[in-house]
Amino acid sequence: MLFFLKQQFMNARYLSFLNLLVVPVLALGLAAFVREFPRWGKWLVIVGLLVMLSNVISTGAGKTHYVEAGRWMSSHVEPGAPTYFGDGRISYYAGRGYVLPVLTQEEAMSAAHAGDYRYFVVEAKGDEPWLKGWLEAHKLRILEHFSNRKGATVVVIGR
């Protein structure tokens, strides 16, 4: 702990151990607080439980569009087709394993690399001006699009 404070060196390996060291101190502090303020102690425990639940339960929009795009790819596109996946999770859901993209979306869709792929699965809305121009220039079209409830969209582009 002294090393951490003196050097101000943060690393997950050291921080996780420091978190473990702080737990007994927090427990003793909570016990002292509850002895001094019994009513506030109950509320503090309830707030602590709510914070723990908020870290576990996700209330945001899910990534259902990734799952749907992957399932669509697995049923409509042959497994060996050269495909650029903007996110590795989509390729995982398509049954191709978790593939980290080597190129960025801009690089993969550039004139130098666009011919390397038959399909593109990228995050974009179908009506974006840059995408319409790119589709016309490369004689491609949007085969399918998937959205989650928050409006994030994945499009499948191909011939």
Side-chain angles (χ1 to χ4, degrees):
M1 192 123 173
L2 292 173
F3 172 77
F4 174 75
L5 294 173
K6 178 111 172 111
Q7 299 297 324
Q8 297 177 349
F9 180 72
M10 281 198 266
N11 187 338
R13 180 174 49 185
Y14 302 127
L15 227 79
S16 62
F17 181 65
L18 287 175
N19 287 338
L20 283 174
L21 290 177
V22 170
V23 169
V25 174
L26 286 175
L28 289 173
L30 181 62
F33 183 82
V34 169
R35 274 192 303 264
E36 189 70 29
F37 307 102
R39 287 188 181 189
W40 284 99
K42 292 174 187 174
W43 287 106
L44 189 61
V45 169
I46 290 171
V47 168
L49 289 172
L50 289 175
V51 168
M52 285 189 287
L53 283 175
S54 72
N55 284 325
V56 175
I57 299 172
S58 176
T59 57
K63 303 291 185 186
T64 56
H65 56 306
Y66 291 162
V67 177
E68 292 170 0
R71 288 182 182 156
W72 188 89
M73 287 293 293
S74 68
S75 63
H76 290 87
V77 175
E78 59 276 6
T83 305
Y84 174 78
F85 292 98
D87 193 297
R89 292 173 282 191
I90 302 170
S91 66
Y92 174 78
Y93 293 125
R96 297 183 181 199
Y98 192 87
V99 179
L100 291 172
V102 177
L103 302 172
T104 64
Q105 180 174 320
E106 291 79 21
E107 291 171 340
M109 296 176 86
S110 69
H113 296 285
D116 299 343
Y117 302 102
R118 201 164 10 149
Y119 298 98
F120 295 86
V121 184
V122 294
E123 289 190 56
K125 305 225 183 288
D127 57 354
E128 296 177 37
W130 69 268
L131 183 58
K132 286 182 179 181
W134 186 84
L135 290 172
E136 290 174 8
H138 292 89
K139 296 180 177 68
L140 296 170
R141 65 185 176 94
I142 295 175
L143 302 175
E144 193 64 62
H145 71 280
F146 306 93
S147 299
N148 68 355
R149 66 182 166 112
K150 199 172 183 181
T153 305
V154 171
V155 293
V156 179
I157 299 170
R159 299 202 189 284

